[in-house]
Amino acid sequence: MAEVDAAQREVVLAEPRGFCAGVDRAIEIVERALQKFGAPVYVRHEIVHNTYVVNDLKSKGAVFIEELDDVPPGATLVFSAHGVSRAVQQEAKARGVSVFDATCPLVTKVHVEVAKLAKEGYEFIMIGHKGHPEVEGTMGQRDCGIHLVEDVADVARVQPAQSEKLAVVTQTTLSVDDAAEITAAVRARFPRVREPKQQDICYATQNRQDAVKVLSGQVDVVIVVGSPTSSNSNRLAELARKLGTESHMVDSADELRPEWVEGRARVGLTAGASAPEILVRQVVERLRSFGVVALRRMDGIEETVKFPLPKGLKLDAATGLALTERRPETGR
């Protein structure tokens, strides 16, 4: 491989990247609950799929659980950003715990659509990844009549009880292109299928994938900051590879390997919607230690979406100031 002039080597930062409004809101719900009610605050499932964020909240008094049996009566419980089934909601109510729902409002929109159409007699085909907590939460809005497909081959095998009233919904963090391909297969098999008025894939997932499409054509390798459990982060790395650009995903700067960037003039860097900016900064510093000196930011969409917090989490002015001062610790 030809030598690359060190002065010409650069990191190209994707725009937008990192935290979306739903993740920002979910983290703030846990932080505010801790400040208002004190530790411990219980969180069902990882609040978002990022190791750094989860460990940071653990250090402040959050306790992450999978089963509601682990939540003592009268405790404060937060549902994760991925959403939960009706059964989990009902169990929490029966246990008498104080619940704050951090489900992303864009996931809630899908739940509301399922509930509305179910009353009209619809069955559903859900496009998503089996076992993902968002998929479990959405499918758990119904006791029956919702069928999961993960790829085009699944569409040929799915057997709804009827096709006169059939609707399609999707996991919000899928590959935009893959979801479109699977939806087209559903439409081909069930021409009368009802599709959402606006696609279920969230704006942040779409924006970050669009940015990677632009970034991939400008760089020699793409680094994605994100945890292995993060669906939207995995999709970014997959997308770069599909476009012909080598890509690697790292949970932290320590996982970055020098051979990935050796002899590469331009290194693209992005982050999944659950990855804090502090991790991006740490990856940049490690890349600089490998000799990648310059830093350039892509032009991109500026996201201004902000979701309101649940009732009951307002803080007084003094506590609110303390929250603002702590935000840089998580790169927010």
Side-chain angles (χ1 to χ4, degrees), residues 14-18 20 172 174 176 199 201-215 236 239 270-271 298-305:
E15 296 285 356
R17 65 181 181 278
C20 63
T172 62
L174 296 178
V176 174
Q199 69 166 7
I201 294 175
C202 85
Y203 77 94
T205 296
Q206 173 122 31
N207 288 346
R208 281 151 190 71
Q209 289 179 20
D210 288 345
V212 164
K213 288 179 180 179
V214 176
L215 180 69
L236 296 177
L239 178 58
T270 189
M298 273 176 38
D299 292 331
I301 293 172
E302 182 180 353
E303 295 175 344
T304 58
V305 176

Side-chain angles (χ1 to χ4, degrees), residues 7-314:
Q8 295 177 343
R9 299 182 72 194
E10 66 176 0
V11 179
V12 183
L13 280 177
E15 296 285 356
R17 65 181 181 278
F19 278 176
C20 63
V23 166
D24 214 12
R25 173 181 179 269
I27 295 168
E28 189 162 359
I29 286 171
V30 178
E31 289 181 335
R32 288 202 177 202
L34 283 164
Q35 289 187 55
K36 189 161 185 178
F37 306 109
V41 166
Y42 293 83
V43 184
R44 186 186 181 276
H45 194 66
E46 293 185 346
I47 187 68
V48 297
H49 283 156
N50 185 267
T51 305
Y52 180 95
V53 169
V54 168
N55 288 340
D56 181 66
L57 292 174
K58 281 181 180 177
S59 73
K60 296 173 182 175
V63 177
F64 292 88
I65 53 96
E66 294 297 328
E67 303 298 334
L68 297 192
D69 289 344
D70 296 326
V71 184
T76 300
L77 172 67
V78 177
F79 291 149
S80 79
H82 312 97
V84 299
S85 67
R86 288 190 306 167
V88 170
Q89 292 171 337
Q90 291 163 359
E91 182 183 353
K93 185 177 180 180
R95 286 179 173 275
V97 296
S98 178
V99 174
F100 292 98
D101 191 351
T103 301
C104 174
L106 299 178
V107 175
T108 300
K109 178 185 80 72
V110 179
H111 292 186
V112 169
E113 182 77 358
V114 168
K116 173 179 172 290
L117 293 179
K119 289 179 180 178
E120 299 175 22
Y122 276 81
E123 283 191 63
F124 301 89
I125 291 177
M126 178 164 196
I127 302 171
H129 298 297
K130 185 177 181 180
H132 190 279
E134 182 188 329
V135 170
E136 292 178 347
T138 298
M139 294 189 69
Q141 301 306 303
R142 299 287 299 146
D143 296 327
C144 60
I146 185 163
H147 312 274
L148 180 65
V149 298
E150 297 189 86
D151 51 33
V152 171
D154 282 346
V155 175
R157 292 189 289 263
V158 70
Q159 295 293 334
Q162 50 82 28
S163 58
E164 291 300 304
K165 285 191 171 184
L166 191 63
V168 63
V169 294
T170 69
Q171 182 181 333
T172 62
T173 54
L174 296 178
S175 157
V176 174
D177 296 335
D178 288 351
E181 181 184 10
I182 298 168
T183 300
V186 172
R187 195 186 308 117
R189 184 174 173 201
F190 305 106
R192 299 183 64 178
V193 70
R194 176 169 176 158
E195 298 178 43
K197 292 178 182 177
Q198 293 183 325
Q199 69 166 7
D200 292 335
I201 294 175
C202 85
Y203 77 94
T205 296
Q206 173 122 31
N207 288 346
R208 281 151 190 71
Q209 289 179 20
D210 288 345
V212 164
K213 288 179 180 179
V214 176
L215 180 69
S216 295
Q218 300 181 11
V219 300
D220 304 306
V221 61
V222 171
I223 305 298
V224 178
V225 181
S227 293
T229 50
S230 168
S231 174
N232 76 89
S233 299
N234 277 287
R235 303 296 81 75
L236 296 177
E238 287 175 1
L239 178 58
R241 286 192 285 269
K242 284 183 179 179
L243 294 170
T245 305
E246 181 183 330
S247 69
H248 304 277
M249 196 167 79
V250 296
D251 206 3
S252 68
D254 293 340
E255 295 182 359
L256 197 63
R257 301 170 66 97
E259 58 265 30
W260 293 345
V261 299
E262 185 178 357
R264 308 295 176 89
R266 290 170 300 279
V267 179
L269 180 58
T270 189
S274 52
E277 186 66 12
I278 189 172
L279 297 182
V280 175
R281 294 198 298 268
Q282 290 170 355
V283 168
V284 169
E285 288 308 307
R286 185 158 169 82
L287 287 169
R288 283 177 170 153
S289 75
F290 295 160
V292 185
V293 179
L295 182 66
R296 173 166 62 89
R297 288 176 172 81
M298 273 176 38
D299 292 331
I301 293 172
E302 182 180 353
E303 295 175 344
T304 58
V305 176
K306 185 170 177 61
F307 296 130
L309 296 174
K311 293 178 181 179
L313 286 180
K314 291 183 179 179

